[in-house]
Amino acid sequence: YFEGTMDGSVRGTVGSVCGRLRGTIDSVYSDAIIVNSARMTGGIAGMINGTGQNTISNCWFDGKITGVSRMGGILGGVYGNKANIEGTIEHCLNTGDIAVQIGKGDVGGMCGIAETWCTLYIKDCLNAGTFSTVGEGAKANTHIGTIFGSVTQTDSVGSKVIISNSFGTKEFYDKLVGWKFGDEGIEQSSVAFVSADEVKGYGGYQW
């Protein structure tokens, strides 16, 4: 259980449990308030960038994140750096609020971005959180998804996201996946919107 305020205004990768994950986080509830002026911010972990098994499981985020871009209710992003990194988010719930700077993006209810030779699995997850913007300006926010934000899949980048049995509400955003570049960047099975009324019966631990 984590409760408190985290300020990453010095510019860093920020999460309420850890900034950079190389390993496993299991069974954590967090209602932290997180503020970060840099990219890669997650409710539980900021970024996965380690080889081996990297997993976030049975976690619930119910706090608030305010940041610039590359933000997720559970994980900010996965960064492979040509090392073929793998990460998994499984059986996790987000009911928190994500507030991104106006005109910025790569935001998802579970994870914000997968980039540079990596594979991310999102399994058995629910996003019933909220999305908002901060600041002023006319530029639209881009690459926002209720489950996942942004992935690029090309011969030179090669990232992939595989989503299964995961759901989100349109109260967060009206797209399940914000943006993909490349036809093979996303695989989905049993991924859908649910209404807010449909998720009222789920306590965090029941989900």
Side-chain angles (χ1 to χ4, degrees):
Y1 175 85
F2 181 88
E3 182 179 32
T5 300
M6 304 185 70
D7 187 345
S9 57
V10 294
R11 297 186 64 83
T13 302
V14 178
S16 68
V17 177
C18 71
R20 298 190 179 196
L21 173 63
R22 298 180 178 181
T24 299
I25 299 173
D26 190 14
S27 302
V28 172
Y29 169 83
S30 173
D31 61 0
I33 298 171
I34 303 169
V35 179
N36 189 12
S37 63
R39 302 184 298 180
M40 291 289 196
T41 310
I44 301 298
M47 177 172 66
I48 287 174
N49 73 333
T51 58
Q53 187 69 31
N54 302 290
T55 303
I56 303 173
S57 59
N58 304 307
C59 292
W60 178 10
F61 181 70
D62 191 36
K64 180 170 183 176
I65 304 168
T66 302
V68 178
S69 66
R70 301 184 181 184
M71 302 157 62
I74 302 298
L75 174 68
V78 186
Y79 182 67
N81 196 23
K82 297 188 177 181
N84 293 315
I85 300 299
E86 288 194 5
T88 300
I89 302 170
E90 59 184 7
H91 208 253
C92 288
L93 170 66
N94 174 46
T95 54
D97 177 66
I98 300 177
V100 66
Q101 183 177 321
I102 195 79
K104 302 294 184 178
D106 301 328
V107 177
M110 291 294 117
C111 179
I113 192 169
E115 60 177 345
T116 318
W117 295 107
C118 61
T119 302
L120 174 66
Y121 299 89
I122 300 174
K123 309 174 183 178
D124 305 320
C125 290
L126 171 65
N127 174 32
T130 55
F131 169 78
S132 59
T133 57
V134 293
E136 298 180 356
K139 189 175 180 180
N141 292 82
T142 57
H143 309 169
I144 316 296
T146 293
I147 302 296
F148 179 78
S150 171
V151 61
T152 298
Q153 207 287 332
T154 68
D155 291 340
S156 60
V157 178
S159 300
K160 190 166 189 176
V161 179
I162 301 168
I163 309 171
S164 60
N165 196 38
S166 295
F167 307 92
T169 65
K170 287 188 177 180
E171 281 76 8
F172 186 90
Y173 209 71
D174 61 1
K175 289 183 178 180
L176 289 164
V177 174
W179 183 82
K180 66 174 183 176
F181 184 86
D183 292 337
E184 298 180 358
I186 293 280
E187 288 185 13
Q188 301 181 62
S189 60
S190 298
V191 180
F193 283 112
V194 291
S195 70
D197 287 339
E198 288 178 291
V199 300
K200 282 182 179 177
Y202 294 106
Y205 299 108
Q206 288 173 296
W207 175 259

